[in-house]
Amino acid sequence: MKKGPFEPVRRTSEAIRTMEIRGAGRIARAASSALSEMVEIWDGPSRDELLSDLKKAAGMLHATRPSAVSLRNAILLTLKGAELEEDVDSIREAVRNNSSSFLKASREAVEVISRIGMKRIPKGSTVMTHCNSSAALSIIEAAFNDGRIEEVYATESRPWRQGQLTAGWLAERGIPVTMIVDSAARFFMNGMDMVCVGADTVAANGAVINKIGTAQIALAAHEARTPFMVAAETYKFSPETLMGSLVEIEDRGPEEVADPLKPEDLPGVKFKNPVFDATPPEYIDSIVCELGIISPYMATEIIREMFGGFRSLSSGRNGSDFRWL
Ligand code: RI2
């Protein structure tokens, strides 16, 4: 593998793997930008070699966070149609254009989601959020500015404690925020008017894969009859689940769970660290995407609409074997 042109992809893969870049939308945009940067500096001899290097790069990027369909879809959308191009320059142009369209559309989607999602939040609400979702926070910020939200409860979101990012972000904007530990979600649920979270993946059956702990919060919300709203751009919907594929749940290292101790400080203890869980559609009242507010049971329709004719590249389950179709 040549070092030069793969450098942006290597750098971005490492930043995504170590969570320096995180959040389903941000990792998707970073991967798309890395592919675009790669084709600009690629200086190999032939079209076929460029296509083969792009496949390797796609596999490297996708393997960093295999649960996030946002990442997979961003890669596929960025490389869409590249294999139909006849020379290196045309491939370069296709990838460059695809990437800039994806970056623009993904940012605009968040903007639209904020506008339509906030209308679902009644005036004077207290809202709970989990982890750190830019899509969910865009709704919360718009709702606060429209006088709909009085206070936000942000869960800590162990093991990475992204709740601290969320709480800090809200406080900076003058939005009253209370941080709670994840296990306190049920304790406070009766005082909530709404729960609003993001998504890493939306499956065809309407299940939402999001930060570990989301399903417990949804269960508590369901029991307390608190509406549970998910903010998810359409590129987070998973076309592969239409065919019955399961979403792989990323498992990270034991040190994140053992923290502030080290795993070796607890001899004889095993650790498990799934990063995401699946919230079943029956606990979800609405999914807000840039096309509108839908019931989770409409997810199949969105997937057909967005990805129906989308067949240029596919990936295996572990992300390591992207192949042209
Ligand atoms: P946006 C994050 O994953 C969280 O699970 C968050 O809810 C989701 O991505 C969506 O984030 P991680 O990368 O795309 O922190 O809405 O594991 O920013």
Side-chain angles (χ1 to χ4, degrees):
M1 205 181 273
K2 292 173 294 304
K3 189 161 188 284
F6 277 95
E7 220 28 53
V9 169
R10 273 211 197 86
R11 204 184 335 111
T12 303
S13 299
E14 188 54 15
I16 295 175
R17 200 185 54 72
T18 57
M19 309 267 286
E20 189 190 318
I21 303 175
R22 37 146 306 282
R26 280 182 288 260
I27 62 176
R29 284 188 286 273
S32 179
S33 300
L35 290 169
S36 178
E37 230 184 293
M38 175 181 168
V39 292
E40 295 303 341
I41 58 174
W42 194 87
D43 60 355
S46 73
R47 164 199 178 275
D48 289 352
E49 202 166 325
L50 173 53
L51 289 176
S52 153
D53 281 357
L54 282 172
K55 261 171 53 174
K56 281 183 210 150
M60 280 167 66
L61 286 164
H62 186 243
T64 56
R65 303 292 307 273
S67 296
V69 78
S70 60
L71 184 56
R72 178 186 174 280
N73 285 340
I75 294 167
L76 293 176
L77 289 165
T78 303
L79 299 184
K80 187 177 176 185
E83 87 286 10
L84 304 174
E85 301 296 343
E86 286 180 357
D87 54 49
V88 169
D89 279 343
S90 319
I91 294 174
R92 194 172 276 137
E93 196 184 336
V95 172
R96 185 192 299 139
N97 291 342
N98 285 344
S99 175
S100 86
S101 306
F102 173 72
L103 297 182
K104 184 165 178 284
S106 71
R107 292 197 177 99
E108 284 172 0
V110 175
E111 168 63 28
V112 175
I113 285 171
S114 75
R115 271 189 274 122
I116 55 184
M118 67 105 163
K119 298 211 171 103
R120 277 289 164 101
I121 300 181
K123 294 265 178 201
S125 287
T126 301
V127 173
M128 185 180 287
T129 190
H130 183 53
C131 199
N132 182 246
S133 156
S134 41
L137 286 176
S138 77
I139 293 178
I140 288 171
E141 184 182 27
F144 176 76
N145 291 338
D146 199 47
R148 291 165 185 269
I149 286 185
E150 283 183 0
E151 187 170 11
V152 179
Y153 276 59
T155 54
E156 181 188 23
S157 311
R158 277 279 289 145
W160 272 78
R161 297 190 171 91
Q162 291 100 327
Q164 294 178 354
L165 293 174
T166 294
W169 189 93
L170 290 165
E172 261 171 41
R173 281 153 184 79
I175 303 175
V177 56
T178 300
M179 221 182 108
I180 59 172
V181 294
D182 300 316
S183 43
R186 171 67 189 84
F187 183 89
F188 289 107
M189 190 54 76
N190 284 335
M192 298 298 125
D193 300 291
M194 174 82 76
V195 176
C196 180
V197 299
D200 290 80
T201 297
V202 180
N205 69 351
V208 165
I209 288 75
N210 192 49
K211 184 59 51 191
I212 191 78
T214 303
Q216 282 177 186
I217 295 172
L219 192 59
H222 184 72
E223 186 213 18
R225 298 180 200 279
T226 303
F228 189 90
M229 179 163 78
V230 177
E233 303 90 314
T234 52
Y235 68 88
K236 293 175 182 167
F237 286 63
S238 166
E240 291 201 326
T241 55
L242 260 190
M243 265 71 84
S245 280
L246 296 174
V247 178
E248 184 184 344
I249 299 291
E250 177 187 351
D251 218 347
R252 294 180 68 90
E255 64 288 347
E256 295 178 358
V257 180
D259 178 64
L261 299 178
K262 296 209 160 28
E264 51 275 25
D265 295 332
L266 296 161
V269 175
K270 287 191 281 184
F271 296 88
K272 289 200 170 154
N273 187 13
V275 183
F276 302 107
D277 59 26
T279 299
E282 55 268 33
Y283 300 146
I284 299 169
D285 293 278
S286 56
I287 299 179
V288 189
C289 66
E290 69 274 23
L291 300 181
I293 300 183
I294 61 159
S295 144
Y297 299 105
M298 288 283 288
T300 312
E301 297 306 316
I302 299 286
I303 292 171
R304 289 222 172 87
E305 162 128 9
M306 299 304 294
F307 301 101
F310 180 24
R311 292 259 180 277
S312 72
L313 196 67
S314 78
S315 70
R317 279 201 60 198
N318 66 6
S320 61
D321 57 345
F322 272 78
R323 59 191 181 277
W324 311 107
L325 287 181

